[in-house]
Amino acid sequence: MAWLYAEYIADELLRTGRLIPVSTLEFRAGRDTLALTIYLSDAAGELSGIRVVSQLDEWLSLTAYGHPWRDWVHTRFLDLGEAARERGRGEDPDLELARAAWRWLDGTELFATNLDPGRHDHADTPPGVDENARVWTPAWQLGLPLGHLAMHLF
């Protein structure tokens, strides 16, 4: 249930921000990235509606530009998997849903505006943000700024 609740919160944050149409892959990237942030940051396993607003600052810092979000995700998956093994139970269904979302985010590339002007495909392209310059980007790299901005707009 925790994964579904995290996904619901992420969906509501993105819908409220009205940054991108709901039916797009970009929306899914933002929702799944934000849902992973919400789910994996809930160390106590007590995600509740009352605490959502108090968690916004933590989620903002986790999705901020320059934060090693991908490394943090891997570390949290290792920690949660180890905790499940120590409890002697099989795989947690919420954790499996979160891992499935991560596999999609990490394995899917979207053709999007180049958000990292230091990285470009052509050697002769000058650095700087050009909204017409598009590159194939892992879904999570597009989802991070969408989720971050959605939380600011909330």
Side-chain angles (χ1 to χ4, degrees), residues 60 81 103-104 118:
L60 281 167
R103 284 189 297 274
W104 184 84

Side-chain angles (χ1 to χ4, degrees), residues 2 5 42 58 74 77-79 81 83 91-93 96 101 108 136 149:
Y5 190 55
D42 184 34
E58 180 183 357
H74 285 286
F77 274 135
L78 289 173
D79 292 347
E91 192 64 38
D92 179 10
E96 266 311 300
T108 302
W136 288 101
L149 185 55

Side-chain angles (χ1 to χ4, degrees), residues 7-8 37 41 46 54 75 117 123-124 133 148:
E7 197 174 43
Y8 170 77
T37 303
S41 67
E46 299 174 354
S54 67
T75 301
D124 59 344
H148 188 80

Side-chain angles (χ1 to χ4, degrees), residues 1 7 10 13 42-43 46 57 72-73 85 89 104 106 118 121-122 138 149 153:
M1 224 27 203
E7 197 174 43
L13 286 169
D42 184 34
E46 299 174 354
D57 286 338
W72 174 79
V73 167
R85 281 188 297 280
R89 288 191 262 157
W104 184 84
D106 199 38
D121 291 338
H122 305 298
L149 185 55
L153 295 173

